[in-house]
Amino acid sequence: MKGLFNKIFKLQDNVDYQSLLQEGAVVVDVRSKEEYMEGHIRNSLNIPLDVLNRNIAKLDKESVIITVCQSGIRSRSAANFLKEIGFSRVYNGGSWYNLR
């Protein structure tokens, strides 16, 4: 059911995340600092969605970036924003649980 929900609402892109991670993709967790501290993907970068625009310098436009959050809604917004400003290799990973 969760997979169907994700497909209907595009809360996760349809790519092989494990391959992207093995190739060095950067995971950007856009949840709040408090949410991130409750659990996160090891080596992920926490940049909350509401301050993402002020932290672009922390990201490399040439890197593969996977955005994650709690449900996939904020990560979708983050991925769309990054694509709009010139990041071309960005994927919405949806919930961070999907990639751990």
Side-chain angles (χ1 to χ4, degrees):
M1 186 64 151
K2 182 178 175 184
L4 178 62
F5 184 79
N6 285 341
K7 287 180 183 178
I8 291 172
F9 293 102
K10 285 295 284 172
L11 299 181
Q12 182 179 14
D13 290 333
N14 188 20
V15 297
D16 182 354
Y17 291 103
Q18 292 308 314
S19 292
L20 293 175
L21 291 169
Q22 289 173 357
E23 294 170 15
V26 176
V27 176
V28 177
D29 190 322
V30 297
R31 295 178 296 150
S32 70
K33 181 179 180 180
E34 293 77 20
E35 289 174 291
Y36 184 80
M37 295 308 294
E38 290 176 5
H40 58 270
I41 298 169
R42 193 172 70 189
N43 298 323
S44 61
L45 182 60
N46 180 224
I47 306 176
L49 181 60
D50 61 341
V51 296
L52 181 60
N53 62 335
R54 295 189 308 252
N55 288 277
I56 296 303
K58 294 180 179 179
L59 303 173
D60 179 1
K61 283 191 175 184
E62 303 303 315
S63 293
V64 175
I65 297 173
I66 302 170
T67 59
V68 297
C69 67
Q70 187 66 32
S71 66
I73 295 171
R74 287 176 285 179
S75 60
R76 179 181 58 195
S77 294
N80 288 340
F81 170 72
L82 292 172
K83 289 175 187 176
E84 287 173 7
I85 64 168
F87 287 77
S88 60
R89 301 179 69 199
V90 180
Y91 302 94
N92 176 18
S95 173
W96 72 276
Y97 290 110
N98 296 333
L99 301 182
R100 43 176 207 167

PDB file of all heavy atoms in Angstrom, residues 17-36:
ATOM      1  N   TYR A  17      18.282   3.429  -5.893  1.00  0.00           N
ATOM      2  CA  TYR A  17      18.975   4.251  -4.906  1.00  0.00           C
ATOM      3  C   TYR A  17      20.243   3.593  -4.386  1.00  0.00           C
ATOM      4  O   TYR A  17      21.228   4.280  -4.122  1.00  0.00           O
ATOM      5  CB  TYR A  17      18.037   4.596  -3.745  1.00  0.00           C
ATOM      6  CG  TYR A  17      16.952   5.535  -4.180  1.00  0.00           C
ATOM      7  CD1 TYR A  17      15.666   5.073  -4.416  1.00  0.00           C
ATOM      8  CD2 TYR A  17      17.219   6.870  -4.399  1.00  0.00           C
ATOM      9  CE1 TYR A  17      14.678   5.934  -4.856  1.00  0.00           C
ATOM     10  CE2 TYR A  17      16.247   7.738  -4.838  1.00  0.00           C
ATOM     11  CZ  TYR A  17      14.973   7.263  -5.061  1.00  0.00           C
ATOM     12  OH  TYR A  17      14.004   8.109  -5.497  1.00  0.00           O
ATOM     13  N   GLN A  18      20.232   2.295  -4.230  1.00  0.00           N
ATOM     14  CA  GLN A  18      21.419   1.617  -3.719  1.00  0.00           C
ATOM     15  C   GLN A  18      22.602   1.799  -4.670  1.00  0.00           C
ATOM     16  O   GLN A  18      23.723   2.030  -4.219  1.00  0.00           O
ATOM     17  CB  GLN A  18      21.129   0.134  -3.458  1.00  0.00           C
ATOM     18  CG  GLN A  18      20.168  -0.090  -2.301  1.00  0.00           C
ATOM     19  CD  GLN A  18      20.584   0.627  -1.028  1.00  0.00           C
ATOM     20  OE1 GLN A  18      21.742   0.588  -0.618  1.00  0.00           O
ATOM     21  NE2 GLN A  18      19.638   1.297  -0.388  1.00  0.00           N
ATOM     22  N   SER A  19      22.351   1.737  -5.962  1.00  0.00           N
ATOM     23  CA  SER A  19      23.426   1.967  -6.934  1.00  0.00           C
ATOM     24  C   SER A  19      23.930   3.404  -6.855  1.00  0.00           C
ATOM     25  O   SER A  19      25.140   3.646  -6.901  1.00  0.00           O
ATOM     26  CB  SER A  19      22.942   1.682  -8.361  1.00  0.00           C
ATOM     27  OG  SER A  19      22.697   0.313  -8.524  1.00  0.00           O
ATOM     28  N   LEU A  20      22.999   4.342  -6.739  1.00  0.00           N
ATOM     29  CA  LEU A  20      23.403   5.751  -6.614  1.00  0.00           C
ATOM     30  C   LEU A  20      24.253   5.961  -5.367  1.00  0.00           C
ATOM     31  O   LEU A  20      25.265   6.674  -5.410  1.00  0.00           O
ATOM     32  CB  LEU A  20      22.173   6.663  -6.572  1.00  0.00           C
ATOM     33  CG  LEU A  20      21.340   6.753  -7.852  1.00  0.00           C
ATOM     34  CD1 LEU A  20      20.086   7.597  -7.614  1.00  0.00           C
ATOM     35  CD2 LEU A  20      22.158   7.322  -8.999  1.00  0.00           C
ATOM     36  N   LEU A  21      23.856   5.339  -4.262  1.00  0.00           N
ATOM     37  CA  LEU A  21      24.620   5.473  -3.019  1.00  0.00           C
ATOM     38  C   LEU A  21      26.005   4.849  -3.152  1.00  0.00           C
ATOM     39  O   LEU A  21      26.993   5.420  -2.684  1.00  0.00           O
ATOM     40  CB  LEU A  21      23.855   4.848  -1.860  1.00  0.00           C
ATOM     41  CG  LEU A  21      22.583   5.596  -1.442  1.00  0.00           C
ATOM     42  CD1 LEU A  21      21.766   4.750  -0.475  1.00  0.00           C
ATOM     43  CD2 LEU A  21      22.920   6.942  -0.840  1.00  0.00           C
ATOM     44  N   GLN A  22      26.085   3.702  -3.804  1.00  0.00           N
ATOM     45  CA  GLN A  22      27.378   3.054  -4.003  1.00  0.00           C
ATOM     46  C   GLN A  22      28.303   3.892  -4.878  1.00  0.00           C
ATOM     47  O   GLN A  22      29.514   3.837  -4.738  1.00  0.00           O
ATOM     48  CB  GLN A  22      27.188   1.663  -4.608  1.00  0.00           C
ATOM     49  CG  GLN A  22      26.608   0.676  -3.641  1.00  0.00           C
ATOM     50  CD  GLN A  22      26.257  -0.659  -4.287  1.00  0.00           C
ATOM     51  OE1 GLN A  22      26.395  -0.837  -5.488  1.00  0.00           O
ATOM     52  NE2 GLN A  22      25.796  -1.595  -3.481  1.00  0.00           N
ATOM     53  N   GLU A  23      27.713   4.694  -5.751  1.00  0.00           N
ATOM     54  CA  GLU A  23      28.490   5.564  -6.627  1.00  0.00           C
ATOM     55  C   GLU A  23      28.833   6.896  -5.969  1.00  0.00           C
ATOM     56  O   GLU A  23      29.432   7.764  -6.593  1.00  0.00           O
ATOM     57  CB  GLU A  23      27.723   5.809  -7.929  1.00  0.00           C
ATOM     58  CG  GLU A  23      27.545   4.560  -8.767  1.00  0.00           C
ATOM     59  CD  GLU A  23      26.590   4.749  -9.931  1.00  0.00           C
ATOM     60  OE1 GLU A  23      26.275   5.910 -10.269  1.00  0.00           O
ATOM     61  OE2 GLU A  23      26.156   3.733 -10.488  1.00  0.00           O
ATOM     62  N   GLY A  24      28.427   7.077  -4.700  1.00  0.00           N
ATOM     63  CA  GLY A  24      28.809   8.276  -3.964  1.00  0.00           C
ATOM     64  C   GLY A  24      27.765   9.370  -3.881  1.00  0.00           C
ATOM     65  O   GLY A  24      28.099  10.521  -3.586  1.00  0.00           O
ATOM     66  N   ALA A  25      26.517   9.050  -4.120  1.00  0.00           N
ATOM     67  CA  ALA A  25      25.464  10.063  -4.015  1.00  0.00           C
ATOM     68  C   ALA A  25      25.440  10.671  -2.617  1.00  0.00           C
ATOM     69  O   ALA A  25      25.726  10.005  -1.625  1.00  0.00           O
ATOM     70  CB  ALA A  25      24.101   9.449  -4.330  1.00  0.00           C
ATOM     71  N   VAL A  26      25.097  11.943  -2.560  1.00  0.00           N
ATOM     72  CA  VAL A  26      24.963  12.664  -1.296  1.00  0.00           C
ATOM     73  C   VAL A  26      23.494  12.627  -0.888  1.00  0.00           C
ATOM     74  O   VAL A  26      22.620  12.998  -1.675  1.00  0.00           O
ATOM     75  CB  VAL A  26      25.428  14.129  -1.457  1.00  0.00           C
ATOM     76  CG1 VAL A  26      25.196  14.925  -0.182  1.00  0.00           C
ATOM     77  CG2 VAL A  26      26.884  14.178  -1.882  1.00  0.00           C
ATOM     78  N   VAL A  27      23.227  12.188   0.337  1.00  0.00           N
ATOM     79  CA  VAL A  27      21.861  12.176   0.856  1.00  0.00           C
ATOM     80  C   VAL A  27      21.658  13.460   1.648  1.00  0.00           C
ATOM     81  O   VAL A  27      22.391  13.730   2.607  1.00  0.00           O
ATOM     82  CB  VAL A  27      21.598  10.948   1.750  1.00  0.00           C
ATOM     83  CG1 VAL A  27      20.195  11.011   2.346  1.00  0.00           C
ATOM     84  CG2 VAL A  27      21.797   9.661   0.958  1.00  0.00           C
ATOM     85  N   VAL A  28      20.668  14.248   1.226  1.00  0.00           N
ATOM     86  CA  VAL A  28      20.331  15.491   1.914  1.00  0.00           C
ATOM     87  C   VAL A  28      18.985  15.286   2.600  1.00  0.00           C
ATOM     88  O   VAL A  28      17.957  15.123   1.943  1.00  0.00           O
ATOM     89  CB  VAL A  28      20.271  16.686   0.940  1.00  0.00           C
ATOM     90  CG1 VAL A  28      19.848  17.949   1.674  1.00  0.00           C
ATOM     91  CG2 VAL A  28      21.618  16.884   0.258  1.00  0.00           C
ATOM     92  N   ASP A  29      19.025  15.283   3.922  1.00  0.00           N
ATOM     93  CA  ASP A  29      17.832  15.097   4.746  1.00  0.00           C
ATOM     94  C   ASP A  29      17.279  16.476   5.064  1.00  0.00           C
ATOM     95  O   ASP A  29      17.944  17.283   5.726  1.00  0.00           O
ATOM     96  CB  ASP A  29      18.213  14.350   6.022  1.00  0.00           C
ATOM     97  CG  ASP A  29      17.021  13.892   6.837  1.00  0.00           C
ATOM     98  OD1 ASP A  29      16.030  14.643   6.912  1.00  0.00           O
ATOM     99  OD2 ASP A  29      17.103  12.794   7.407  1.00  0.00           O
ATOM    100  N   VAL A  30      16.082  16.775   4.583  1.00  0.00           N
ATOM    101  CA  VAL A  30      15.520  18.122   4.724  1.00  0.00           C
ATOM    102  C   VAL A  30      14.562  18.255   5.907  1.00  0.00           C
ATOM    103  O   VAL A  30      13.831  19.238   6.006  1.00  0.00           O
ATOM    104  CB  VAL A  30      14.856  18.606   3.408  1.00  0.00           C
ATOM    105  CG1 VAL A  30      15.889  18.704   2.297  1.00  0.00           C
ATOM    106  CG2 VAL A  30      13.704  17.704   3.000  1.00  0.00           C
ATOM    107  N   ARG A  31      14.595  17.306   6.814  1.00  0.00           N
ATOM    108  CA  ARG A  31      13.779  17.410   8.025  1.00  0.00           C
ATOM    109  C   ARG A  31      14.428  18.409   8.995  1.00  0.00           C
ATOM    110  O   ARG A  31      15.581  18.799   8.836  1.00  0.00           O
ATOM    111  CB  ARG A  31      13.666  16.044   8.709  1.00  0.00           C
ATOM    112  CG  ARG A  31      12.928  15.018   7.868  1.00  0.00           C
ATOM    113  CD  ARG A  31      12.893  13.667   8.556  1.00  0.00           C
ATOM    114  NE  ARG A  31      14.249  13.145   8.692  1.00  0.00           N
ATOM    115  CZ  ARG A  31      14.649  12.345   9.662  1.00  0.00           C
ATOM    116  NH1 ARG A  31      13.803  11.955  10.603  1.00  0.00           N
ATOM    117  NH2 ARG A  31      15.887  11.912   9.728  1.00  0.00           N
ATOM    118  N   SER A  32      13.688  18.787  10.017  1.00  0.00           N
ATOM    119  CA  SER A  32      14.228  19.690  11.036  1.00  0.00           C
ATOM    120  C   SER A  32      15.383  19.010  11.771  1.00  0.00           C
ATOM    121  O   SER A  32      15.521  17.775  11.749  1.00  0.00           O
ATOM    122  CB  SER A  32      13.137  20.065  12.042  1.00  0.00           C
ATOM    123  OG  SER A  32      12.796  18.938  12.835  1.00  0.00           O
ATOM    124  N   LYS A  33      16.188  19.814  12.446  1.00  0.00           N
ATOM    125  CA  LYS A  33      17.313  19.279  13.214  1.00  0.00           C
ATOM    126  C   LYS A  33      16.818  18.282  14.264  1.00  0.00           C
ATOM    127  O   LYS A  33      17.432  17.236  14.482  1.00  0.00           O
ATOM    128  CB  LYS A  33      18.072  20.416  13.884  1.00  0.00           C
ATOM    129  CG  LYS A  33      19.264  19.980  14.675  1.00  0.00           C
ATOM    130  CD  LYS A  33      19.998  21.153  15.292  1.00  0.00           C
ATOM    131  CE  LYS A  33      21.199  20.678  16.090  1.00  0.00           C
ATOM    132  NZ  LYS A  33      21.933  21.797  16.689  1.00  0.00           N
ATOM    133  N   GLU A  34      15.701  18.605  14.902  1.00  0.00           N
ATOM    134  CA  GLU A  34      15.143  17.729  15.933  1.00  0.00           C
ATOM    135  C   GLU A  34      14.721  16.376  15.348  1.00  0.00           C
ATOM    136  O   GLU A  34      15.006  15.324  15.932  1.00  0.00           O
ATOM    137  CB  GLU A  34      13.942  18.398  16.620  1.00  0.00           C
ATOM    138  CG  GLU A  34      14.302  19.626  17.435  1.00  0.00           C
ATOM    139  CD  GLU A  34      14.558  20.876  16.593  1.00  0.00           C
ATOM    140  OE1 GLU A  34      14.115  20.940  15.424  1.00  0.00           O
ATOM    141  OE2 GLU A  34      15.233  21.786  17.094  1.00  0.00           O
ATOM    142  N   GLU A  35      14.061  16.401  14.199  1.00  0.00           N
ATOM    143  CA  GLU A  35      13.667  15.147  13.551  1.00  0.00           C
ATOM    144  C   GLU A  35      14.894  14.336  13.168  1.00  0.00           C
ATOM    145  O   GLU A  35      14.934  13.110  13.347  1.00  0.00           O
ATOM    146  CB  GLU A  35      12.852  15.431  12.293  1.00  0.00           C
ATOM    147  CG  GLU A  35      11.466  15.964  12.529  1.00  0.00           C
ATOM    148  CD  GLU A  35      10.803  16.346  11.228  1.00  0.00           C
ATOM    149  OE1 GLU A  35      11.248  17.336  10.597  1.00  0.00           O
ATOM    150  OE2 GLU A  35       9.850  15.647  10.837  1.00  0.00           O
ATOM    151  N   TYR A  36      15.881  15.013  12.622  1.00  0.00           N
ATOM    152  CA  TYR A  36      17.120  14.365  12.191  1.00  0.00           C
ATOM    153  C   TYR A  36      17.812  13.677  13.366  1.00  0.00           C
ATOM    154  O   TYR A  36      18.293  12.548  13.238  1.00  0.00           O
ATOM    155  CB  TYR A  36      18.035  15.413  11.553  1.00  0.00           C
ATOM    156  CG  TYR A  36      19.307  14.881  10.964  1.00  0.00           C
ATOM    157  CD1 TYR A  36      19.316  14.291   9.703  1.00  0.00           C
ATOM    158  CD2 TYR A  36      20.517  14.994  11.648  1.00  0.00           C
ATOM    159  CE1 TYR A  36      20.497  13.822   9.143  1.00  0.00           C
ATOM    160  CE2 TYR A  36      21.698  14.528  11.095  1.00  0.00           C
ATOM    161  CZ  TYR A  36      21.685  13.943   9.844  1.00  0.00           C
ATOM    162  OH  TYR A  36      22.852  13.476   9.285  1.00  0.00           O
TER     163      TYR A  36
END
